[in-house]
Amino acid sequence: MLKIIIPSIMLIPMTWLSKNTMMWINPTIHSLMIALMSLSYLNKLDITNQNHSLKFASDPLTSPLLILTTWLLPLMIMASQHHLSKETEIRKKTYISLLILLQISLIMTFTATEMIMFYILFEATLIPTLIIITRWGNQTERMKAGLYFLFYTLAGSLPLLIALIYLQNSLGSMNFLLFPYNKHMLNSTWSNSLLWIACAMAFMIKLPMYGLHLWLPKAHVEAPIAGSMVLAAILLKLGGYGMMRISQLLEPMTNYMAYPFILLSLWGMIMTSSICLRQTDLKSLIAYSSVSHMALVIVAILIQTPWSFMGATALMIAHGLTSSLLFCLANSNYERTHSRTMLLARGLQMTLPLMSTWWILSSLTNLALPPTINLVGELFIILSTFSWSNFTIILTGLNMLITALYTLFMLITTQRGKPPYHISNITPTFTRENSLMALHIIPLLLLTLNPKIILGNLY
Amino acid sequence: MFRRVLRTGLGQSLLIRGLGTRSGNSSLGWDGNVSEIKKKIRSLMPGEPHNFLYDTKHLPPEHSDVVIVGGGVVGLSVAYWLKKLEKRRDAIRVLVVERDQTYSRASTGLSVGGIRQQFSVPQNVQLSLFSIDFLRNINEHLAVVDAPPLDLQFNPSGYLLLASEEGAAILESNVKMQRQEGAKICLMSPEQLQKKFPWINTEGVALASYGLENEGWFDPWSLLQGLRRKVQSMGVFLCQGEVTRFVTSSNRMRTSSGEEVNLRRIYEVHVKMDNSLEYQPVECAIVINAAGAWSGQVAELAGIGKGPPGTLQGTKLPVEPRKRYVYMWHCPQGPGLETPLVTDTNGVYFRREGLGNNYVGGRSPTEEEEPDPADLEVDHDFFQNKVWPHLAQRVPAFEGLKVRSAWAGYYDYNTFDQNGVVGPHPLLVNMYFATGFSGHGLQHALGVGRAVAEMLLNGHFQTIDLSPFLFSRFYLEEKVLEQNII
């Protein structure tokens, strides 16, 4: 653990003390090394749990998310290079430091052993993200986006704080390792229902669940590219991870308390997929597709079967990489045409063929093509929801169909067709952009060969 | 340091105003402060405009996909067709920037308002046919919920073009071409002319062409208001401001023949507010130049024409403002209600105005007598010396006319070949032109709007092929001369 945390903390002085010519190269390379270190040391599947210290531990649920976090930082720094090129040096360094701070809080969040520490760091991740969205976003709407983001999450988290403190008082310790041994059954009183809702709401908002998802399209669309990437890839998964942990304490109320949320998510995933079909703004389309995929994760976590937990973990990792990749692709379009409207950037296959390869691969993974891990996740979830209730197969099947429809719609609108006249002078793809896409897609495709490392705790 | 951060924080180049004077105190009193805070709280509600630092209602948005420079009938027509032809609702964000919201010097409001199909270039005939079809069904096209229907006051009286001996052959071939395109024009000999219009003096006239259908004049101001209303209801943002700067990025590329060319693209437009130094940088993907008489200046701002003369970079947009006078007179013995818009062999024209024996008319001056376009002052001597004698000769009743009023307006005159410039610029890839119509912009506006929208959305012209009107003809020296300029 120390060999990940200390280098991450030291990335900040390294950024500030770098020469201006090395300012981008240093953090990128060093964060890539940290990511490689996290790969090799955090993936011991024969051990159920690795204790790094008294306060930090990792288990097969945590380690894929942790690796995703550390992997994403060099990618975020690479992606931000272009749009920050016109800022002053101090601003650039501030931006990179914010990303690194976010990374540190996320590493600590995912490896925290105490639920209260997890909560504190969960809230702490909000602050750098908020600063990134409101200061470096592109349009005036970013102020509103930041406000929605902050207040939606806070409104859910404050009840969670009270619930956690109550649970700490009644249980004595909120250590994750003790949760499976908890004999304390939640009997069905009104106050216990409120406790259940207080525990669940923050994570539902973060995931986001369909009725509480309004902050997500705003935040994703207005955030700069690094903000969108980290939001889509990691911050949404915080909700899933937290829900998986806390649901061990909420037995047996979850059996019936979860019904409204399951229904809302099942319906919501079809709704948001359908909204994607009518979107004209590329980033907005990808944001709504995130809501749709996360709705599947919510259903899986709430029905609490071994297969569904495996599917949820797998889908979280797969969706993290895919969504982040799609946002990078959308950003490369935006940097060239200065517009997010899909209509204005058509026919790119003719002008940028290698970029269209990345588009095709990312679209194929987004629509859960076999044998990618997206399919593994979705399949496990669909199978477990089918066994939970036969009727859900209609809804999940419909969702898979509509997902395929809107993904192909996005692919064909941006890649095929006759390029409009003003596409004729877009700059060709930079090597940086190509390597960014490759670094997203290579883990995604390699995991196809060995998906058991991302199947989580219950494998 | 804090003040510097405040001044430069939260936004790329938003000017901060009203944050307090240098000494740190706000200049408002108690009530002012309370209302400011109330406004801020109200702006947090969903649905309200969210100006967190200061009032930005008058500024254009920070980002727009298409920026149309010029809010006259051509600019609004492009906006209308862009919104009409987009395949999904709200697919494309359009901003129309108009410098003068009263339209006091815009060619649209000052136009005589005629529409005719009698042109010598086939595309012009097609454009006019398209426009008249639109105008006849205007209340289906421009209907807005709860708004009264538009009354364009279209007078379908036709155009009468008179030709002398020299021009008769050209007139006949033009009419043949117009008939092929679908216009209904008839040719008349001087005897037929005398019989149909007894008030005309047919001396010197060898042949006349008379438009039987779809020609006449209408009220351009109501078309403009109708378009404004409709376009706002479709979601186009209209703002007041003057475009002062285009920020471009350039790219050296190689053509297929191996030569190096510098392709530029505009990614930001600076829109300056009236009577202040405040400007708003609007990030945009496409700019449409529909600035009418001032299109040449807008093109120069964008850097078109900056290069060695004779090259494509050095080819300027040859559109300049030309002042034209229009006179209105009263003549009780003048021609009756059936009078078409008569164009004489020497360029003098007149038409009936209203039902009280009033007429409007004028004449295009020759190259030597071109008036100075700096202002819109009317030269009455021009009427006395150059217009009246010819009017009186052609229509003897006009000897006893009394001039009631006069005004002047600009033609966005294309000095190259007096025909419009439509379509993208070859080197500045995201600037589209819709200008240079030299006096027939109003009648072609709707067709041109559709053509530009199709070019933008589909990449090629679909309904009417305006490829002879592309910018590249200025460099390739291919003139598309329009002979029937009034």
Side-chain angles (χ1 to χ4, degrees):
Chain A
M1 188 66 199
L2 266 183
K3 48 178 166 294
I4 299 176
I5 277 283
I6 300 277
S8 300
I9 296 177
M10 294 311 280
L11 276 176
I12 299 186
M14 186 188 70
T15 320
W16 282 95
L17 296 173
S18 300
K19 284 193 297 206
N20 286 340
T21 47
M22 295 293 283
M23 183 179 56
W24 289 108
I25 302 178
N26 270 339
T28 315
I29 298 287
H30 285 85
S31 47
L32 210 49
M33 291 203 289
I34 297 176
L36 288 174
M37 268 195 282
S38 75
L39 265 184
S40 54
Y41 286 101
L42 295 179
N43 235 332
K44 292 198 165 58
L45 286 176
D46 45 342
I47 310 177
T48 42
N49 184 309
Q50 271 183 295
N51 275 327
H52 301 288
S53 84
L54 282 177
K55 302 276 181 281
F56 297 114
S58 78
D59 68 359
L61 172 58
T62 304
S63 19
L65 289 166
L66 188 56
I67 299 171
L68 186 59
T69 314
T70 50
W71 186 247
L72 219 63
L73 181 61
L75 270 45
M76 287 197 280
I77 299 179
M78 279 207 287
S80 315
Q81 252 182 292
H82 184 126
H83 78 89
L84 287 179
S85 54
K86 292 210 183 63
E87 306 251 0
T88 62
E89 304 300 325
I90 293 189
R91 298 247 179 91
K92 290 190 220 183
K93 292 184 181 173
T94 316
Y95 191 82
I96 301 177
S97 325
L98 277 171
L99 291 179
I100 298 171
L101 263 177
L102 188 54
Q103 157 100 326
I104 298 171
S105 343
L106 280 169
I107 294 176
M108 297 209 287
T109 318
F110 280 123
T111 51
T113 45
E114 258 305 315
M115 196 67 190
I116 305 251
M117 177 158 156
F118 167 80
Y119 173 79
I120 294 174
L121 291 163
F122 172 82
E123 296 301 308
T125 58
L126 279 182
I127 298 175
T129 322
L130 185 68
I131 300 180
I132 292 177
I133 295 179
T134 49
R135 168 62 184 91
W136 275 280
N138 285 319
Q139 299 170 223
T140 350
E141 283 85 13
R142 69 185 186 274
M143 306 295 267
K144 208 163 205 186
L147 223 61
Y148 266 63
F149 172 65
L150 183 69
F151 283 106
Y152 262 72
T153 317
L154 274 182
S157 313
L158 290 177
L160 178 64
L161 178 63
I162 301 176
L164 287 178
I165 295 180
Y166 166 74
L167 283 171
Q168 158 91 329
N169 265 340
S170 68
L171 291 177
S173 159
M174 293 286 281
N175 200 317
F176 287 153
L177 307 170
L178 295 176
F179 280 1
Y181 303 107
N182 179 35
K183 291 269 194 310
H184 188 94
M185 284 285 150
L186 271 185
N187 29 19
S188 59
T189 61
W190 280 106
S191 53
N192 276 347
S193 308
L194 280 179
L195 180 68
W196 194 96
I197 291 184
C199 290
M201 272 326 249
F203 303 119
M204 291 295 129
I205 293 178
K206 199 73 180 173
L207 259 172
M209 190 177 66
Y210 177 59
L212 309 160
H213 69 290
L214 274 184
W215 63 271
L216 187 116
K218 286 195 166 38
H220 269 134
V221 165
E222 305 305 328
I225 177 62
S228 290
M229 283 168 76
V230 76
L231 262 176
I234 313 287
L235 290 177
L236 265 49
K237 305 351 182 217
L238 275 178
Y241 174 77
M243 195 62 204
M244 281 199 207
R245 292 292 191 203
I246 200 124
S247 59
Q248 294 169 324
L249 284 183
L250 299 173
E251 290 304 310
M253 284 195 84
T254 319
N255 296 339
Y256 51 90
M257 284 298 291
Y259 268 103
F261 298 99
I262 296 179
L263 292 176
L264 211 47
S265 293
L266 280 173
W267 181 237
M269 77 187 169
I270 298 183
M271 282 281 103
T272 43
S273 303
S274 318
I275 292 179
C276 283
L277 280 174
R278 297 290 301 172
Q279 282 298 325
T280 52
D281 180 340
L282 194 52
K283 261 183 131 173
S284 194
L285 197 153
I286 304 172
Y288 275 107
S289 110
S290 282
V291 180
S292 168
H293 287 282
M294 285 297 112
L296 264 177
V297 173
I298 295 177
V299 175
I301 296 178
L302 288 175
I303 63 177
Q304 296 184 305
T305 66
W307 273 48
S308 72
F309 266 34
M310 285 199 273
T313 323
L315 188 56
M316 286 203 287
I317 304 294
H319 172 261
L321 284 169
T322 313
S323 248
S324 174
L325 174 58
L326 283 172
F327 274 116
C328 290
L329 288 168
N331 185 54
S332 75
N333 260 359
Y334 175 76
E335 285 175 357
R336 286 171 172 76
T337 54
H338 289 276
S339 155
R340 291 195 311 257
T341 315
M342 285 198 290
L343 261 187
L344 293 177
R346 307 189 301 276
L348 290 177
Q349 189 157 13
M350 281 286 125
T351 35
L352 302 174
L354 185 55
M355 191 54 93
S356 86
T357 313
W358 306 127
W359 271 101
I360 292 178
L361 282 174
S362 67
S363 299
L364 292 178
T365 51
N366 195 27
L367 56 87
L369 190 77
T372 59
I373 44 177
N374 300 62
L375 178 76
V376 168
E378 288 198 14
L379 200 59
F380 277 32
I381 297 176
I382 293 180
L383 285 172
S384 44
T385 50
F386 179 66
S387 89
W388 176 77
S389 155
N390 287 7
F391 179 71
T392 54
I393 192 97
I394 299 178
L395 298 169
T396 46
L398 194 59
N399 179 49
M400 281 201 87
L401 171 69
I402 304 183
T403 304
L405 282 176
Y406 71 70
T407 313
L408 287 176
F409 159 66
M410 173 177 70
L411 180 68
I412 291 184
T413 315
T414 49
Q415 303 304 113
R416 304 286 162 88
K418 181 173 165 160
Y421 183 80
H422 53 268
I423 291 290
S424 58
N425 92 322
I426 45 178
T427 53
T429 320
F430 298 114
T431 310
R432 170 185 62 87
E433 290 174 343
N434 275 332
S435 52
L436 185 63
M437 312 305 167
L439 284 176
H440 272 110
I441 203 90
I442 288 177
L444 206 49
L445 295 178
L446 283 178
L447 277 171
T448 319
L449 301 174
N450 194 4
K452 62 177 191 285
I453 52 181
I454 53 165
L455 284 180
N457 253 340
L458 292 161
Y459 177 69
Chain B
M1 163 76 188
F2 181 65
R3 216 176 278 143
R4 181 157 57 91
V5 166
L6 260 186
R7 224 183 298 135
T8 55
L10 288 176
Q12 284 104 335
S13 7
L14 294 175
L15 293 177
I16 296 191
R17 217 178 41 186
L19 257 189
T21 60
R22 282 204 95 108
S23 64
N25 294 328
S26 172
S27 53
L28 305 162
W30 174 257
D31 288 329
N33 279 328
V34 166
S35 61
E36 284 286 306
I37 292 179
K38 275 196 192 161
K39 243 197 287 182
K40 283 206 170 64
I41 295 178
R42 208 177 313 137
S43 74
L44 286 179
M45 297 291 123
E48 296 293 321
H50 32 264
N51 332 313
F52 287 106
L53 290 175
Y54 60 102
D55 195 4
T56 53
K57 278 197 282 278
H58 56 291
L59 289 176
E62 275 187 14
H63 178 97
S64 171
D65 295 325
V66 179
V67 174
I68 302 183
V69 181
V73 71
V74 176
L76 290 178
S77 161
V78 176
Y80 169 77
W81 283 110
L82 272 175
K83 278 296 183 181
K84 187 103 194 288
L85 294 177
E86 65 182 8
K87 296 196 186 68
R88 273 146 202 269
R89 216 168 58 155
D90 283 340
I92 203 167
R93 270 179 294 191
V94 184
L95 169 73
V96 176
V97 180
E98 167 59 43
R99 180 168 61 175
D100 177 13
Q101 295 285 10
T102 61
Y103 294 93
S104 56
R105 298 194 301 160
S107 313
T108 309
L110 300 167
S111 158
V112 168
I115 177 164
R116 59 178 161 117
Q117 278 88 44
Q118 298 184 45
F119 288 101
S120 60
V121 175
Q123 279 81 14
N124 281 342
V125 181
Q126 291 165 4
L127 280 172
S128 284
L129 281 171
F130 182 88
S131 296
I132 192 68
D133 183 59
F134 189 94
L135 292 176
R136 277 195 190 277
N137 299 316
I138 192 131
N139 280 313
E140 280 169 29
H141 293 283
L142 296 189
V144 175
V145 177
D146 275 352
L150 273 182
D151 177 18
L152 282 184
Q153 290 156 26
F154 177 54
N155 285 288
S157 302
Y159 266 60
L160 180 70
L161 264 64
L162 305 174
S164 57
E165 280 290 336
E166 305 92 53
I170 305 176
L171 188 73
E172 206 177 329
S173 59
N174 281 350
V175 170
K176 203 162 105 179
M177 181 273 294
Q178 290 151 19
R179 282 214 190 114
Q180 270 175 346
E181 294 290 339
K184 297 190 174 46
I185 319 284
C186 80
L187 283 169
M188 298 166 93
S189 66
E191 296 77 36
Q192 290 170 318
L193 199 59
Q194 189 71 65
K195 214 162 68 156
K196 180 136 177 95
F197 303 115
W199 39 264
I200 239 185
N201 168 16
T202 56
E203 181 189 333
V205 173
L207 195 58
S209 67
Y210 180 44
L212 294 170
E213 208 180 279
N214 292 338
E215 290 196 348
W217 56 89
F218 62 95
D219 179 20
W221 188 251
S222 40
L223 176 63
L224 185 70
Q225 294 308 316
L227 272 174
R228 265 182 83 95
R229 214 173 56 184
K230 178 67 178 174
V231 133
Q232 271 177 318
S233 83
M234 286 168 125
V236 170
F237 197 91
L238 299 172
C239 92
Q240 187 270 327
E242 180 181 350
V243 170
T244 45
R245 188 173 168 213
F246 291 107
V247 183
T248 58
S249 68
S250 67
N251 229 332
R252 293 201 73 81
M253 309 190 104
R254 214 173 265 277
T255 62
S256 49
S257 54
E259 54 174 280
E260 275 203 4
V261 80
N262 199 17
L263 292 179
R264 289 186 304 135
R265 98 182 284 133
I266 301 175
Y267 64 88
E268 212 173 62
V269 178
H270 286 190
V271 178
K272 181 177 104 66
M273 296 297 116
D274 226 12
N275 291 330
S276 107
L277 285 179
E278 187 180 13
Y279 70 93
Q280 167 78 300
V282 179
E283 188 184 15
C284 62
I286 294 179
V287 174
I288 300 190
N289 186 353
W294 300 275
S295 315
Q297 291 170 17
V298 171
E300 268 190 46
L301 266 182
I304 296 177
K306 291 214 176 79
T311 59
L312 189 51
Q313 296 95 297
T315 318
K316 296 192 205 292
L317 177 72
V319 173
E320 55 178 48
R322 290 275 173 101
K323 185 158 81 165
R324 295 287 176 265
Y325 304 115
V326 179
Y327 304 93
M328 183 162 95
W329 61 88
H330 173 78
C331 182
Q333 295 89 27
L337 288 177
E338 235 201 60
T339 316
L341 199 155
V342 181
T343 313
D344 205 351
T345 48
N346 41 33
V348 172
Y349 68 91
F350 74 92
R351 70 161 169 87
R352 172 182 61 80
E353 167 72 24
L355 301 169
N357 287 317
N358 294 317
Y359 303 88
V360 296
R363 182 194 185 169
S364 285
T366 56
E367 285 288 335
E368 299 83 38
E369 8 173 86
E370 275 291 344
D372 180 18
D375 56 26
L376 285 177
E377 294 294 319
V378 180
D379 181 10
H380 294 276
D381 294 329
F382 184 73
F383 186 75
Q384 290 286 117
N385 306 332
K386 297 279 164 44
V387 185
W388 199 357
H390 301 287
L391 277 178
Q393 198 235 344
R394 188 57 64 201
V395 182
F398 278 161
E399 299 224 346
L401 62 79
K402 270 208 162 43
V403 175
R404 285 188 116 163
S405 73
W407 68 87
Y410 290 118
Y411 274 14
D412 47 344
Y413 196 80
N414 181 350
T415 50
F416 188 71
D417 56 9
Q418 290 86 54
N419 257 323
V421 190
V422 177
H425 187 277
L427 290 182
L428 184 62
V429 294
N430 58 352
M431 173 169 264
Y432 288 72
F433 295 105
T435 176
F437 298 104
S438 318
H440 34 97
L442 176 66
Q443 50 190 296
H444 290 161
L446 293 154
V448 164
R450 184 165 180 142
V452 172
E454 282 170 354
M455 186 77 186
L456 214 153
L457 294 171
N458 304 332
H460 55 273
F461 295 116
Q462 257 175 333
T463 351
I464 305 176
D465 183 20
L466 294 183
S467 23
F469 290 170
L470 288 172
F471 184 90
S472 32
R473 73 184 195 270
F474 301 136
Y475 173 62
L476 299 170
E477 309 265 341
E478 289 164 0
K479 291 200 185 196
V480 188
L481 271 175
E482 172 58 53
Q483 276 128 6
N484 294 353
I485 295 285
I486 295 182

